[in-house]
Amino acid sequence: MINAPRGTNDILPPQSFKWNYIESKAKYIFDLYNYDEIRTPIFEYTELFQRGIGEETDIVEKEMYTFEDKSKRSITLRPEGTASVVRSFLENKIYGKAQPTKYYYIGPMFRYERPQSGRYRQFNQLGIEVFGSQDPRVDAEVIAVGMHYMDILGLEDLSLYINSIGCPKCRPKYLKRLKDYLNNNIDKLCEDCKRRIDKNPLRVLDCKNDRCQKVIDGAPKIIDYLCDECEVHFDNLKENLHNINIDFIIDPGLVRGLDYYTKTAFEVKYEGLGAQDTIFGGGRYDRLAEEIGKRDVPGIGFALGVERLLLTLKKQGIEIPIDKSVDIYLTTIGKKAEIASFKLLEEFRRRGIKAEIDYMGRSVGSQMKSADRMNATYTVIIGENELENKKATVRNMKSGKEQEIDIDNLVKSIEKMI
RNA sequence: GUGGGUAUAGCUCAGUUGGAUAGAGCGCAGGAUUGUGGCUCCUGAGGCCGUGGGUUCAAGACCCAUUACCCACCCCA
């Protein structure tokens, strides 16, 4: 027996109905905010992610599915969506069109990690990106899209955390202060954090270790070191969120794992999810296009983990409506009836009537049972009597009432009934 | 990469300190109803007890290894 690779999942019915449902709701919301779909390749040249996401990030360091293709180019299965979308935006010279550009995407991402609840090697993200505007209202809109989506799905008790992580102008100054502070308290930090001081000091702020947390409480906060531009931007974002009635919590410890973020960073969490409790997260990345394509294009977006969304829906007991049914179930008795019914079956379908028949040689009782299980509106019964009289027995499965209908006009008659 | 937990029918799970022919409920199939679903009742099919080794007169239970899954660390969606 060959199993699916570790960290991958089959999405079978009825689970696949749920996927359809949340995807269709997402598309509804995205369209409502005037975002259009973009589809980029599932693999890219490795350099794109190395440059875009950052060499020192965990993703690039140890989580990428990278391999050489037959021409020896290094290929990587996309670990996230933003780098590809930015690449596509630049490659197709979309910056030449009227801005801003608003895209959404949906699809699988790949990261080589140990799977656990809410974390898989192939997982699905659904996200949006806005290019070309630095207006803080755009930051607020991006957050609003996500929050609105949560609302129409009926999710509750979610927390929105926001922070500003500065820009190339103000962040270096802050990082220096932070490093100095951390070095002064180095003996109180865990081993991981000691290593992080030089490598990625912002990440220390994320540490869940209790002892580190005490050090972090006293650490300089980046929002106290923002340059004027970043501070105004952050204030504006807060005002805009208030303006559209979106509650938030300022979390100075919120730093995103990817290098390209500037200014706004945000995460939406559901505490009930367990260790991986972020449903969606994102932020502004005004440096990324420069990094990838030597062109100065501001951007902001978020990515949402579909599996985590489904987990949250389940934890909150939100039932996703699955209305599976067929219009007609054909019950047959005897070989001749089978042949006649099979012809009718296709005729029904050609007329746009959803119809099903038994292929398992079941008894009449079992065929009725199948019809019931499939939620059939009507069952058409054809046996020898019916063939002789050229009239089919049509049973209304709700009322149990039956009537005789000419087989020759059956499809047309039923078309009128449903 | 590290740690912990779990593994018995399609599913959810029982199975005592080692001593059966390995069970239940649900689901599935057939029947009660010689051609009619839901409710009820009856019957039936379906198991290398994750895999490999070991201890023992005797292993689904105990020991070792291995694999898979789950959870957690790291980090993120």
Side-chain angles (χ1 to χ4, degrees), chain A residues 84-124:
Chain A
S84 302
V85 176
V86 171
R87 194 224 81 231
S88 175
F89 177 89
L90 296 171
E91 186 171 340
N92 294 287
K93 301 182 167 54
I94 307 302
Y95 46 77
K97 298 185 176 179
Q99 300 301 315
T101 302
K102 309 206 290 186
Y103 288 141
Y104 76 85
Y105 62 84
I106 177 165
M109 307 294 165
F110 306 84
R111 290 185 205 173
Y112 189 88
E113 296 181 274
R114 287 287 285 264
Q116 70 190 67
S117 182
R119 162 178 298 161
Y120 310 97
R121 289 186 171 179
Q122 175 173 338
F123 61 102
N124 288 270

Side-chain angles (χ1 to χ4, degrees), chain A residues 26-214:
Chain A
K27 287 177 179 179
Y28 163 74
I29 288 289
F30 295 155
D31 180 59
L32 190 61
Y33 285 78
N34 200 30
Y35 288 69
D36 296 328
E37 183 174 14
I38 180 170
R39 301 193 192 198
T40 64
I42 281 179
F43 60 85
E44 298 270 2
Y45 291 126
T46 303
E47 305 94 270
L48 175 67
F49 301 118
Q50 286 171 337
R51 291 243 297 280
I53 299 170
E55 292 282 3
E56 320 91 64
T57 56
D58 277 18
I59 292 181
V60 173
E61 263 181 4
K62 51 181 191 185
E63 294 172 2
M64 294 207 299
Y65 273 94
T66 297
F67 56 91
E68 269 188 3
D69 68 10
K70 292 194 176 182
S71 68
K72 308 277 189 214
R73 288 288 314 240
S74 180
I75 297 291
T76 296
L77 262 31
R78 63 181 186 193
E80 56 103 47
T82 303
S84 302
V85 176
V86 171
R87 194 224 81 231
S88 175
F89 177 89
L90 296 171
E91 186 171 340
N92 294 287
K93 301 182 167 54
I94 307 302
Y95 46 77
K97 298 185 176 179
Q99 300 301 315
T101 302
K102 309 206 290 186
Y103 288 141
Y104 76 85
Y105 62 84
I106 177 165
M109 307 294 165
F110 306 84
R111 290 185 205 173
Y112 189 88
E113 296 181 274
R114 287 287 285 264
Q116 70 190 67
S117 182
R119 162 178 298 161
Y120 310 97
R121 289 186 171 179
Q122 175 173 338
F123 61 102
N124 288 270
Q125 284 188 338
L126 166 171
I128 64 175
E129 313 286 355
V130 182
F131 298 115
S133 172
Q134 307 217 41
D135 193 319
R137 283 178 302 167
V138 174
D139 303 42
E141 174 179 301
V142 165
I143 292 172
V145 170
M147 298 309 282
H148 193 163
Y149 182 41
M150 298 296 98
D151 286 343
I152 63 161
L153 289 175
L155 293 169
E156 294 170 346
D157 301 323
L158 305 181
S159 316
L160 166 66
Y161 296 91
I162 66 168
N163 193 22
S164 175
I165 54 173
C167 68
K169 265 181 274 169
C170 49
R171 206 184 311 170
K173 254 182 265 172
Y174 168 71
L175 287 181
K176 193 162 179 298
R177 289 290 186 93
L178 180 63
K179 275 189 198 175
D180 289 346
Y181 171 84
L182 293 174
N183 275 317
N184 287 337
N185 294 280
I186 195 161
D187 38 315
K188 293 179 204 150
L189 293 171
C190 69
E191 291 307 310
D192 286 330
C193 283
K194 283 177 187 167
R195 274 189 288 108
R196 289 182 187 130
I197 292 178
D198 288 315
K199 235 181 74 182
N200 200 338
L202 280 180
R203 211 75 67 71
V204 177
L205 303 177
D206 246 356
C207 188
K208 285 155 197 153
N209 183 303
D210 285 343
R211 283 181 61 217
C212 294
Q213 204 56 51
K214 276 180 194 153

